[in-house]
Amino acid sequence: AVATSDSKTESQVTELRVSDVDMEVLNNIGTKTMYCQGVHRRIAEFRRGGSAFSSILLQIDNHAEILQTYGEATWKLIMGVVAEAVRDRLREMDVVTLYDDLTFGLVLPDASLRDAVCIGERMRKTVENTSVNVNGQSLQFTVSLGIVEVAEGDDMATLVARVREQLEQVQGDGGNRTGFSSQTLVAS
C-alpha cells in the first residue's frame, strides 16, 4: 500500500536558510548500531508477549542529483532539515538513527502500523512543504518511506528486508511516498 499527497500551494512552503537549521541535530542522531540494537531489543520483547512496534526507513529522494548539482554543504543542510522534521514528529521513546549515509532508520515502540504510517506521512508532508535557500535559489526536496510492523516470525534480517522492500518499491514508483505492509509472517 502507498500513501501520497500531491496538493500544496506556494504559501504552504516554508523556506529555510542555513542559519535556521540546527546542524547539531545530525550529531545527536544515533547510528546504525543503535537502530539494530533497538530492533533486536523490541523483537525480543515482542517474542516474550510484549507489544508490537514499527520500523521506518526514510530516504531523501534524488539524493545523487542533489549531491552532484548542489554539493556536500547543501546535502548536509538538507540532511539537517530532514533530521529536524523527523525528530520533531517523534515521541521521546522513539529511536531515530542515521542508518547509512542516505537513510534514516526509526524504531517506534508500541506503535501499530497505522500509527507509524500517520507519523511517517506527517514527516513526509513536512519535508515536502519545506525548502532551503541555496545561493538565493529555493530548493525543494522530498522523501520516501518504507514502514513495517513487527510480525510473528520476524528476526532482524526479515524485518529489515521487509522495510527495505517497502522503501525500494516507493522509490521505484517515483518517490515522495510512504510504502507500508501489513504482511504477517508465519514462523518456519
Side-chain angles (χ1 to χ4, degrees), residues 28-42:
N28 294 325
I29 287 183
T31 62
K32 181 177 183 176
T33 299
M34 292 175 71
Y35 171 84
C36 293
Q37 289 171 342
V39 168
H40 181 73
R41 186 172 117 222
R42 294 297 170 185

Side-chain angles (χ1 to χ4, degrees), residues 134-180:
V134 180
N135 300 324
Q137 180 183 1
S138 181
L139 173 62
Q140 287 186 263
F141 48 93
T142 58
V143 295
S144 293
L145 299 90
I147 304 176
V148 298
E149 181 177 2
V150 66
E152 288 296 328
D154 263 341
D155 60 18
M156 172 73 74
T158 58
L159 185 129
V160 170
R162 290 191 308 115
V163 73
R164 274 196 172 285
E165 179 182 344
Q166 292 302 314
L167 176 60
E168 290 167 5
Q169 182 177 346
V170 295
Q171 287 176 320
D173 291 341
N176 194 25
R177 289 171 166 57
T178 298
F180 53 94

Side-chain angles (χ1 to χ4, degrees), residues 23-37 56-60 63 72 75-84 86-87 90 94-107 143 164:
M23 296 307 288
E24 261 317 289
V25 73
L26 280 177
N27 296 331
N28 294 325
I29 287 183
T31 62
K32 181 177 183 176
T33 299
M34 292 175 71
Y35 171 84
C36 293
Q37 289 171 342
I56 299 175
L57 289 181
L58 177 149
Q59 202 170 79
I60 299 168
H63 44 80
E72 184 77 20
W75 176 252
K76 286 183 179 179
L77 173 64
I78 290 171
M79 289 291 285
V81 168
V82 172
E84 280 187 7
V86 167
R87 187 70 257 168
L90 295 178
D94 297 330
V95 175
V96 59
T97 68
L98 201 51
Y99 184 79
D100 61 31
D101 290 341
L102 305 171
T103 310
F104 292 90
L106 293 80
V107 180
V143 295
R164 274 196 172 285

Side-chain angles (χ1 to χ4, degrees), residues 4-5 120-130 143 176:
T4 183
S5 167
E121 272 296 285
R122 283 196 306 266
M123 288 185 281
R124 189 189 63 75
K125 288 176 183 177
T126 297
V127 171
E128 177 185 48
N129 292 316
T130 302
V143 295
N176 194 25

